[in-house]
Amino acid sequence: MSTAASPSGMIDAVLDGIVVLDFGQLVAGPVCGMWLADMGATVIKVEPPEGELGRQLGPPWQNGESIAALSANRNKMGLSIDLKQPGAPAVMERLVRGTDIVLENFRPGVARRLGIDDVTLRGWKPDLIHCSISAYGQEGPWRGRPGVDGIMQAATGLMSGIGLPGAEPGKAPLPLADMTGALFATITILAALRRRDREGVGSKLDVSLYNAMLMIQQMSLAAFLSSGDMPVPAGSAAPYAAPNEALPTADGWIMVAAYQPKRWAGLCRAVCHPELLDDPRFLTNADRVANRAALREVLFPVFRAFPTGYWQALLAREDIIAAPVANYADVTRSEQYTASGIEVAFEHPTAGTVRMPGFAAGSPRPAPPRSAPPRLGEHSRGVLGRFGFTPAEIDPLIRERIVLETTPT
Protein backbone atom coordinates (compact mmCIF):
# COMPACT_ATOMS: atom_id res chain seq x y z
CA MET A 1 0.00 0.00 0.00
CA SER A 2 1.26 3.45 -0.89
CA THR A 3 1.16 5.74 2.16
CA ALA A 4 2.97 8.88 1.07
CA ALA A 5 0.96 12.03 0.53
CA SER A 6 1.81 14.24 -2.39
CA PRO A 7 3.94 17.36 -1.71
CA SER A 8 0.83 19.55 -1.91
CA GLY A 9 -0.75 17.72 1.04
CA MET A 10 -3.28 15.84 -1.09
CA ILE A 11 -4.31 12.48 0.36
CA ASP A 12 -6.17 11.22 -2.69
CA ALA A 13 -3.79 8.27 -3.23
CA VAL A 14 -2.94 7.11 0.30
CA LEU A 15 -5.18 4.02 0.00
CA ASP A 16 -3.84 3.01 -3.39
CA GLY A 17 -3.75 -0.80 -3.49
CA ILE A 18 -6.55 -1.27 -0.93
CA VAL A 19 -9.60 -3.13 -2.25
CA VAL A 20 -13.06 -2.58 -0.76
CA LEU A 21 -16.29 -4.47 -1.35
CA ASP A 22 -18.97 -1.90 -0.62
CA PHE A 23 -22.41 -3.40 0.05
CA GLY A 24 -23.65 -0.02 1.30
CA GLN A 25 -27.13 1.27 0.59
CA LEU A 26 -28.86 4.62 0.98
CA VAL A 27 -26.40 7.02 2.67
CA ALA A 28 -24.09 5.95 5.52
CA GLY A 29 -22.47 2.92 3.88
CA PRO A 30 -22.12 4.40 0.38
CA VAL A 31 -20.67 7.68 1.68
CA CYS A 32 -18.07 5.82 3.74
CA GLY A 33 -17.16 3.77 0.66
CA MET A 34 -16.97 6.93 -1.45
CA TRP A 35 -14.56 8.59 0.97
CA LEU A 36 -12.33 5.51 0.91
CA ALA A 37 -12.43 5.67 -2.90
CA ASP A 38 -11.62 9.38 -2.78
CA MET A 39 -8.48 8.44 -0.82
CA GLY A 40 -7.40 6.06 -3.56
CA ALA A 41 -8.91 2.70 -2.63
CA THR A 42 -10.40 0.48 -5.32
CA VAL A 43 -14.01 0.40 -4.18
CA ILE A 44 -16.44 -2.03 -5.77
CA LYS A 45 -20.07 -1.17 -5.24
CA VAL A 46 -21.91 -4.47 -4.87
CA GLU A 47 -25.66 -4.36 -5.53
CA PRO A 48 -28.54 -6.82 -5.88
CA PRO A 49 -30.17 -7.21 -9.31
CA GLU A 50 -32.78 -4.56 -8.50
CA GLY A 51 -30.16 -2.06 -7.36
CA GLU A 52 -29.60 -0.64 -3.90
CA LEU A 53 -32.29 1.42 -2.18
CA GLY A 54 -30.50 4.72 -2.70
CA ARG A 55 -31.23 4.63 -6.43
CA GLN A 56 -34.91 5.23 -5.58
CA LEU A 57 -34.23 8.06 -3.12
CA GLY A 58 -35.55 11.43 -4.26
CA PRO A 59 -36.42 14.08 -5.24
CA PRO A 60 -34.37 15.62 -6.65
CA TRP A 61 -33.72 13.67 -9.82
CA GLN A 62 -31.47 14.60 -12.72
CA ASN A 63 -32.59 13.01 -15.98
CA GLY A 64 -34.18 10.23 -13.95
CA GLU A 65 -31.13 9.59 -11.77
CA SER A 66 -31.26 10.05 -7.99
CA ILE A 67 -29.02 12.88 -6.89
CA ALA A 68 -28.80 11.24 -3.46
CA ALA A 69 -27.29 8.12 -5.03
CA LEU A 70 -25.05 10.06 -7.41
CA SER A 71 -23.69 12.16 -4.56
CA ALA A 72 -22.61 9.09 -2.56
CA ASN A 73 -20.97 6.83 -5.12
CA ARG A 74 -18.32 8.56 -7.22
CA ASN A 75 -15.00 6.82 -7.94
CA LYS A 76 -16.45 3.29 -7.58
CA MET A 77 -16.76 0.28 -9.84
CA GLY A 78 -20.16 -1.44 -10.11
CA LEU A 79 -20.86 -5.15 -9.61
CA SER A 80 -24.36 -6.63 -9.49
CA ILE A 81 -24.71 -10.08 -7.96
CA ASP A 82 -27.71 -12.02 -6.69
CA LEU A 83 -26.51 -13.33 -3.33
CA LYS A 84 -29.61 -15.51 -3.01
CA GLN A 85 -28.55 -17.68 -5.95
CA PRO A 86 -26.91 -21.03 -5.09
CA GLY A 87 -23.79 -20.17 -7.05
CA ALA A 88 -23.20 -16.83 -5.35
CA PRO A 89 -21.22 -18.00 -2.27
CA ALA A 90 -18.46 -19.48 -4.39
CA VAL A 91 -18.15 -16.19 -6.29
CA MET A 92 -18.14 -14.17 -3.07
CA GLU A 93 -15.44 -16.33 -1.52
CA ARG A 94 -13.09 -15.62 -4.41
CA LEU A 95 -13.86 -11.91 -4.23
CA VAL A 96 -13.37 -11.68 -0.47
CA ARG A 97 -10.03 -13.52 -0.62
CA GLY A 98 -8.74 -10.68 -2.80
CA THR A 99 -10.26 -7.92 -0.69
CA ASP A 100 -8.99 -5.83 2.22
CA ILE A 101 -12.25 -4.32 3.49
CA VAL A 102 -15.89 -5.36 3.39
CA LEU A 103 -18.32 -2.57 4.21
CA GLU A 104 -22.06 -3.03 4.73
CA ASN A 105 -24.91 -1.26 6.49
CA PHE A 106 -27.53 -3.98 6.60
CA ARG A 107 -29.90 -4.39 9.50
CA PRO A 108 -28.37 -6.91 11.95
CA GLY A 109 -29.09 -10.46 10.78
CA VAL A 110 -29.41 -9.62 7.08
CA ALA A 111 -25.73 -10.21 6.31
CA ARG A 112 -25.96 -13.68 7.85
CA ARG A 113 -28.99 -14.53 5.72
CA LEU A 114 -27.10 -13.38 2.63
CA GLY A 115 -24.07 -15.49 3.54
CA ILE A 116 -21.71 -12.57 4.17
CA ASP A 117 -21.71 -12.43 7.98
CA ASP A 118 -18.47 -11.83 9.86
CA VAL A 119 -17.81 -15.50 10.66
CA THR A 120 -18.11 -16.44 7.00
CA LEU A 121 -16.15 -13.47 5.68
CA ARG A 122 -13.21 -13.77 8.03
CA GLY A 123 -13.25 -17.53 7.65
CA TRP A 124 -12.44 -16.86 4.00
CA LYS A 125 -9.88 -14.16 4.83
CA PRO A 126 -8.72 -13.93 8.47
CA ASP A 127 -7.06 -10.52 8.15
CA LEU A 128 -10.13 -8.95 6.54
CA ILE A 129 -11.49 -5.70 7.93
CA HIS A 130 -15.27 -6.05 8.12
CA CYS A 131 -17.19 -2.88 8.98
CA SER A 132 -20.90 -3.07 9.80
CA ILE A 133 -22.91 0.15 10.09
CA SER A 134 -26.38 -0.14 11.61
CA ALA A 135 -28.90 1.91 13.53
CA TYR A 136 -28.25 0.58 17.03
CA GLY A 137 -25.27 -1.73 16.58
CA GLN A 138 -24.89 -5.48 16.38
CA GLU A 139 -25.44 -6.06 20.11
CA GLY A 140 -27.80 -4.71 22.74
CA PRO A 141 -31.56 -4.60 23.33
CA TRP A 142 -32.38 -2.42 20.31
CA ARG A 143 -30.15 -4.22 17.80
CA GLY A 144 -33.11 -5.52 15.79
CA ARG A 145 -34.83 -2.17 15.45
CA PRO A 146 -34.72 -0.45 12.08
CA GLY A 147 -33.64 3.16 12.02
CA VAL A 148 -33.28 5.86 9.41
CA ASP A 149 -31.74 9.29 9.84
CA GLY A 150 -34.75 11.13 11.28
CA ILE A 151 -35.46 8.29 13.69
CA MET A 152 -31.89 8.46 14.95
CA GLN A 153 -32.11 12.21 15.45
CA ALA A 154 -35.23 11.60 17.56
CA ALA A 155 -33.98 8.58 19.51
CA THR A 156 -30.71 10.22 20.57
CA GLY A 157 -32.23 13.41 21.96
CA LEU A 158 -30.99 15.74 19.25
CA MET A 159 -34.47 16.85 18.21
CA SER A 160 -35.35 17.85 21.77
CA GLY A 161 -33.00 20.81 21.52
CA ILE A 162 -33.80 21.98 17.97
CA GLY A 163 -36.38 24.61 17.13
CA LEU A 164 -38.13 27.21 19.25
CA PRO A 165 -39.73 26.87 22.68
CA GLY A 166 -43.29 25.57 22.44
CA ALA A 167 -43.01 24.75 18.74
CA GLU A 168 -43.11 21.33 17.11
CA PRO A 169 -39.86 19.34 17.29
CA GLY A 170 -37.26 20.26 14.72
CA LYS A 171 -34.52 18.24 13.08
CA ALA A 172 -31.37 18.93 11.15
CA PRO A 173 -32.56 19.17 7.52
CA LEU A 174 -29.83 16.88 6.24
CA PRO A 175 -28.95 13.22 6.89
CA LEU A 176 -26.85 14.12 9.91
CA ALA A 177 -26.91 10.68 11.53
CA ASP A 178 -25.97 8.95 8.28
CA MET A 179 -23.14 11.36 7.50
CA THR A 180 -21.82 11.16 11.06
CA GLY A 181 -21.99 7.37 10.96
CA ALA A 182 -20.10 7.40 7.66
CA LEU A 183 -17.46 9.65 9.18
CA PHE A 184 -16.88 7.44 12.22
CA ALA A 185 -16.91 4.30 10.05
CA THR A 186 -14.19 5.84 7.87
CA ILE A 187 -12.11 6.73 10.92
CA THR A 188 -12.41 3.25 12.42
CA ILE A 189 -11.56 1.59 9.10
CA LEU A 190 -8.41 3.69 8.78
CA ALA A 191 -7.47 2.76 12.35
CA ALA A 192 -8.09 -0.93 11.58
CA LEU A 193 -5.85 -0.68 8.51
CA ARG A 194 -3.13 0.78 10.72
CA ARG A 195 -3.60 -2.09 13.17
CA ARG A 196 -3.42 -4.64 10.36
CA ASP A 197 -0.24 -3.07 9.05
CA ARG A 198 1.35 -3.26 12.52
CA GLU A 199 -0.05 -6.57 13.83
CA GLY A 200 -1.21 -8.47 10.74
CA VAL A 201 -4.71 -9.02 12.11
CA GLY A 202 -8.18 -8.27 10.80
CA SER A 203 -11.00 -6.50 12.61
CA LYS A 204 -14.74 -6.66 13.07
CA LEU A 205 -15.96 -3.07 13.32
CA ASP A 206 -19.41 -2.33 14.74
CA VAL A 207 -20.46 1.27 13.98
CA SER A 208 -23.88 2.37 15.19
CA LEU A 209 -25.64 5.54 14.14
CA TYR A 210 -26.99 5.74 17.69
CA ASN A 211 -23.52 5.98 19.24
CA ALA A 212 -22.34 8.30 16.49
CA MET A 213 -25.15 10.74 17.23
CA LEU A 214 -24.43 10.63 20.96
CA MET A 215 -20.75 11.30 20.30
CA ILE A 216 -21.43 14.44 18.27
CA GLN A 217 -23.58 15.71 21.16
CA GLN A 218 -20.48 15.61 23.37
CA MET A 219 -20.91 19.00 25.02
CA SER A 220 -24.70 18.98 25.31
CA LEU A 221 -24.94 15.48 26.74
CA ALA A 222 -22.02 16.09 29.11
CA ALA A 223 -23.78 19.26 30.31
CA PHE A 224 -26.94 17.29 31.05
CA LEU A 225 -25.02 14.52 32.84
CA SER A 226 -23.38 17.19 34.99
CA SER A 227 -26.37 19.36 35.80
CA GLY A 228 -29.46 17.28 35.10
CA ASP A 229 -30.90 20.25 33.21
CA MET A 230 -32.72 19.47 29.99
CA PRO A 231 -31.66 21.48 26.93
CA VAL A 232 -34.21 24.13 26.03
CA PRO A 233 -34.86 24.77 22.31
CA ALA A 234 -33.54 28.24 21.51
CA GLY A 235 -33.64 28.56 17.74
CA SER A 236 -30.23 29.58 16.44
CA ALA A 237 -28.83 30.39 19.88
CA ALA A 238 -26.00 28.41 21.47
CA PRO A 239 -27.14 27.12 24.89
CA TYR A 240 -23.75 27.94 26.45
CA ALA A 241 -23.11 31.48 25.17
CA ALA A 242 -24.84 34.81 24.55
CA PRO A 243 -25.04 36.63 22.33
CA ASN A 244 -24.30 33.79 19.96
CA GLU A 245 -27.28 33.59 17.62
CA ALA A 246 -28.91 34.95 14.49
CA LEU A 247 -30.16 38.52 14.73
CA PRO A 248 -32.71 40.02 12.29
CA THR A 249 -31.57 42.80 9.97
CA ALA A 250 -33.44 45.08 7.58
CA ASP A 251 -32.95 42.58 4.75
CA GLY A 252 -32.23 39.22 6.36
CA TRP A 253 -30.39 37.72 9.31
CA ILE A 254 -26.83 37.82 10.58
CA MET A 255 -25.24 35.30 12.94
CA VAL A 256 -23.31 37.08 15.70
CA ALA A 257 -20.95 35.54 18.27
CA ALA A 258 -19.99 38.26 20.76
CA TYR A 259 -19.99 36.48 24.11
CA GLN A 260 -16.29 36.88 24.95
CA PRO A 261 -15.69 39.95 27.17
CA LYS A 262 -13.81 42.04 24.58
CA ARG A 263 -16.28 41.21 21.83
CA TRP A 264 -19.26 41.86 24.09
CA ALA A 265 -17.82 45.30 24.82
CA GLY A 266 -17.26 45.82 21.09
CA LEU A 267 -20.86 44.90 20.34
CA CYS A 268 -22.14 47.36 22.93
CA ARG A 269 -20.11 50.08 21.21
CA ALA A 270 -21.30 49.01 17.75
CA VAL A 271 -24.97 49.21 18.69
CA CYS A 272 -24.44 52.50 20.58
CA HIS A 273 -25.61 51.04 23.89
CA PRO A 274 -22.56 51.28 26.19
CA GLU A 275 -24.88 51.15 29.20
CA LEU A 276 -25.40 47.44 28.56
CA LEU A 277 -21.90 46.80 29.93
CA ASP A 278 -23.07 47.85 33.39
CA ASP A 279 -26.50 46.21 33.22
CA PRO A 280 -26.55 43.53 35.97
CA ARG A 281 -28.53 41.22 33.67
CA PHE A 282 -25.69 41.13 31.16
CA LEU A 283 -22.45 41.42 33.16
CA THR A 284 -21.14 37.93 32.39
CA ASN A 285 -21.75 35.35 29.72
CA ALA A 286 -23.70 33.27 32.26
CA ASP A 287 -25.85 36.31 33.05
CA ARG A 288 -26.56 36.89 29.38
CA VAL A 289 -27.49 33.24 28.81
CA ALA A 290 -29.89 33.40 31.77
CA ASN A 291 -31.41 36.64 30.45
CA ARG A 292 -31.31 35.87 26.74
CA ALA A 293 -34.90 36.95 26.16
CA ALA A 294 -34.22 40.39 27.66
CA LEU A 295 -31.07 40.75 25.61
CA ARG A 296 -33.00 39.96 22.44
CA GLU A 297 -35.51 42.68 23.29
CA VAL A 298 -32.64 45.15 23.21
CA LEU A 299 -30.70 43.85 20.20
CA PHE A 300 -33.45 42.82 17.78
CA PRO A 301 -34.87 46.33 17.16
CA VAL A 302 -31.38 47.80 16.78
CA PHE A 303 -30.28 45.22 14.20
CA ARG A 304 -33.55 45.49 12.26
CA ALA A 305 -32.79 49.14 11.54
CA PHE A 306 -29.95 48.44 9.10
CA PRO A 307 -29.20 45.88 6.36
CA THR A 308 -26.96 42.87 6.78
CA GLY A 309 -24.05 44.38 4.83
CA TYR A 310 -23.97 47.38 7.14
CA TRP A 311 -23.74 45.19 10.21
CA GLN A 312 -21.17 42.87 8.70
CA ALA A 313 -18.81 45.76 7.98
CA LEU A 314 -19.39 47.45 11.34
CA LEU A 315 -18.93 44.25 13.37
CA ALA A 316 -15.75 43.40 11.45
CA ARG A 317 -14.23 46.71 12.58
CA GLU A 318 -14.88 45.66 16.17
CA ASP A 319 -13.39 42.16 15.57
CA ILE A 320 -16.76 40.57 16.29
CA ILE A 321 -17.32 37.15 14.74
CA ALA A 322 -20.29 37.37 12.40
CA ALA A 323 -21.65 36.03 9.11
CA PRO A 324 -24.85 36.54 7.13
CA VAL A 325 -27.29 33.64 7.33
CA ALA A 326 -26.76 32.47 3.76
CA ASN A 327 -28.86 30.25 1.57
CA TYR A 328 -27.24 27.85 -0.91
CA ALA A 329 -27.45 30.40 -3.71
CA ASP A 330 -25.55 32.87 -1.52
CA VAL A 331 -23.01 30.22 -0.60
CA THR A 332 -22.24 29.02 -4.11
CA ARG A 333 -21.76 32.49 -5.56
CA SER A 334 -19.49 33.70 -2.77
CA GLU A 335 -15.80 34.33 -3.35
CA GLN A 336 -14.92 31.98 -0.49
CA TYR A 337 -16.83 29.09 -2.11
CA THR A 338 -14.98 29.69 -5.37
CA ALA A 339 -11.62 29.93 -3.63
CA SER A 340 -12.23 26.84 -1.52
CA GLY A 341 -12.29 24.58 -4.56
CA ILE A 342 -14.70 22.32 -2.71
CA GLU A 343 -16.92 21.72 -5.73
CA VAL A 344 -16.20 18.83 -8.06
CA ALA A 345 -18.09 17.63 -11.11
CA PHE A 346 -18.30 14.55 -13.28
CA GLU A 347 -20.08 13.50 -16.45
CA HIS A 348 -22.65 10.75 -16.02
CA PRO A 349 -23.97 8.91 -19.11
CA THR A 350 -27.60 9.52 -18.09
CA ALA A 351 -27.63 12.42 -15.65
CA GLY A 352 -25.15 14.57 -17.55
CA THR A 353 -22.96 16.99 -15.60
CA VAL A 354 -23.31 16.45 -11.85
CA ARG A 355 -21.86 18.93 -9.34
CA MET A 356 -21.28 18.30 -5.63
CA PRO A 357 -18.85 18.88 -2.76
CA GLY A 358 -15.67 16.85 -3.05
CA PHE A 359 -13.46 15.21 -0.43
CA ALA A 360 -11.31 18.02 0.94
CA ALA A 361 -10.36 16.60 4.34
CA GLY A 362 -6.71 17.39 5.01
CA SER A 363 -6.20 18.78 1.53
CA PRO A 364 -6.18 22.31 0.15
CA ARG A 365 -8.84 21.24 -2.33
CA PRO A 366 -10.37 17.94 -3.46
CA ALA A 367 -8.95 15.95 -6.32
CA PRO A 368 -11.18 15.74 -9.41
CA PRO A 369 -13.33 12.59 -9.46
CA ARG A 370 -11.67 9.71 -11.27
CA SER A 371 -15.00 8.31 -12.42
CA ALA A 372 -18.75 8.87 -12.24
CA PRO A 373 -20.88 6.65 -10.00
CA PRO A 374 -21.38 3.28 -11.70
CA ARG A 375 -24.61 2.25 -13.30
CA LEU A 376 -26.09 -0.94 -11.91
CA GLY A 377 -23.69 -3.75 -12.78
CA GLU A 378 -21.69 -1.49 -15.09
CA HIS A 379 -18.34 -3.17 -14.37
CA SER A 380 -19.49 -6.66 -13.39
CA ARG A 381 -17.48 -8.45 -16.07
CA GLY A 382 -14.40 -6.33 -15.49
CA VAL A 383 -14.56 -6.70 -11.71
CA LEU A 384 -14.67 -10.48 -11.93
CA GLY A 385 -11.75 -10.37 -14.33
CA ARG A 386 -9.72 -8.38 -11.78
CA PHE A 387 -10.24 -11.22 -9.30
CA GLY A 388 -8.99 -13.88 -11.70
CA PHE A 389 -12.25 -15.11 -13.23
CA THR A 390 -11.78 -16.21 -16.83
CA PRO A 391 -14.28 -15.41 -19.60
CA ALA A 392 -15.28 -19.09 -19.57
CA GLU A 393 -16.21 -18.69 -15.89
CA ILE A 394 -17.87 -15.29 -16.23
CA ASP A 395 -20.18 -16.11 -19.13
CA PRO A 396 -22.22 -18.80 -17.31
CA LEU A 397 -22.49 -16.59 -14.20
CA ILE A 398 -24.09 -13.88 -16.33
CA ARG A 399 -26.16 -16.35 -18.32
CA GLU A 400 -27.55 -17.90 -15.12
CA ARG A 401 -28.16 -14.38 -13.72
CA ILE A 402 -25.98 -14.92 -10.69
CA VAL A 403 -24.11 -11.86 -11.90
CA LEU A 404 -25.75 -9.08 -13.92
CA GLU A 405 -24.09 -6.58 -16.20
CA THR A 406 -25.24 -3.32 -17.71
CA THR A 407 -25.71 -3.44 -21.44
CA PRO A 408 -23.34 -0.84 -22.95
CA THR A 409 -25.09 2.18 -24.51
Side-chain angles (χ1 to χ4, degrees):
M1 181 179 72
S2 173
T3 57
S6 65
S8 65
M10 298 289 282
I11 58 173
D12 55 290
V14 293
L15 296 184
D16 182 36
I18 296 297
V19 178
V20 182
L21 292 181
D22 173 7
F23 292 87
Q25 51 188 337
L26 294 173
V27 181
V31 168
C32 175
M34 180 178 69
W35 287 339
L36 296 173
D38 289 340
M39 288 185 280
T42 297
V43 178
I44 300 162
K45 183 174 181 63
V46 186
E47 300 182 74
E50 66 276 14
E52 64 111 334
L53 296 173
R55 292 185 183 272
Q56 285 76 52
L57 192 62
W61 308 90
Q62 188 163 316
N63 295 334
E65 297 286 340
S66 164
I67 288 296
L70 292 174
S71 69
N73 288 291
R74 64 175 175 254
N75 291 335
K76 300 179 185 179
M77 302 179 72
L79 167 67
S80 180
I81 181 168
D82 188 349
L83 294 178
K84 299 176 182 178
Q85 292 271 16
V91 176
M92 286 308 308
E93 180 176 359
R94 290 178 64 175
L95 297 179
V96 171
R97 288 185 184 277
T99 294
D100 300 283
I101 301 162
V102 169
L103 168 66
E104 46 90 1
N105 61 327
F106 298 121
R107 187 172 170 179
V110 172
R112 179 179 55 81
R113 292 197 297 272
L114 293 175
I116 53 170
D117 57 286
D118 186 64
V119 172
T120 301
L121 292 174
R122 294 208 289 146
W124 291 335
K125 185 176 174 61
D127 66 347
L128 182 75
I129 295 167
H130 174 207
C131 180
S132 297
I133 307 172
S134 62
Y136 298 100
Q138 304 298 309
E139 306 293 338
W142 290 2
R143 64 180 296 275
R145 293 187 182 183
V148 293
D149 189 88
I151 301 302
M152 304 317 301
Q153 291 195 37
T156 57
L158 182 73
M159 288 175 62
S160 70
I162 297 178
L164 294 170
E168 65 179 84
K171 66 181 286 290
L174 70 159
L176 184 62
D178 286 313
M179 296 299 291
T180 305
L183 174 63
F184 289 140
T186 304
I187 292 170
T188 57
I189 287 171
L190 295 176
L193 281 171
R194 173 64 169 156
R195 180 186 180 214
R196 194 192 68 171
D197 288 346
R198 295 177 63 180
E199 304 174 22
V201 298
S203 298
K204 172 65 178 81
L205 307 176
D206 181 1
V207 176
S208 80
L209 303 187
Y210 184 82
N211 283 357
M213 288 298 286
L214 294 178
M215 288 173 67
I216 65 163
Q217 296 178 80
Q218 184 86 15
M219 292 179 62
S220 299
L221 191 52
F224 167 75
L225 294 172
S226 173
S227 67
D229 296 333
M230 294 290 184
V232 178
S236 62
Y240 49 81
N244 187 4
E245 62 186 289
L247 302 174
T249 69
D251 59 355
W253 292 80
I254 187 168
M255 188 73 184
V256 177
Y259 51 88
Q260 296 161 319
K262 288 184 178 180
R263 290 189 168 113
W264 168 240
L267 181 65
C268 293
R269 289 192 298 270
V271 300
C272 300
H273 280 283
E275 75 281 1
L276 295 178
L277 286 171
D278 300 317
D279 192 315
R281 299 173 298 174
F282 310 135
L283 291 177
T284 68
N285 178 63
D287 293 328
R288 294 190 294 274
V289 169
N291 295 286
R292 192 189 306 276
L295 183 58
R296 285 173 169 172
E297 289 180 2
V298 175
L299 294 180
F300 275 29
V302 174
F303 271 79
R304 282 196 180 102
F306 298 96
T308 302
Y310 168 87
W311 287 114
Q312 189 173 15
L314 180 60
L315 297 178
R317 288 197 292 272
E318 293 287 352
D319 190 34
I320 294 170
I321 305 170
V325 177
N327 58 35
Y328 281 170
D330 298 326
V331 171
T332 54
R333 63 177 171 237
S334 71
E335 60 183 3
Q336 180 59 36
Y337 181 85
T338 302
S340 74
I342 188 66
E343 185 178 299
V344 297
F346 54 76
E347 294 297 322
H348 188 272
T350 306
T353 302
V354 181
R355 302 161 59 198
M356 65 182 64
F359 184 81
S363 303
R365 58 182 57 221
R370 299 187 305 277
S371 62
R375 291 170 291 168
L376 178 62
E378 179 175 355
H379 307 105
S380 291
R381 187 177 291 272
V383 165
L384 294 179
R386 291 171 67 99
F387 285 84
F389 286 79
T390 66
E393 292 174 306
I394 297 171
D395 288 340
L397 292 174
I398 293 174
R399 188 168 56 249
E400 295 166 18
R401 300 192 66 77
I402 296 171
V403 173
L404 290 89
E405 64 174 344
T406 300
T407 302
T409 56

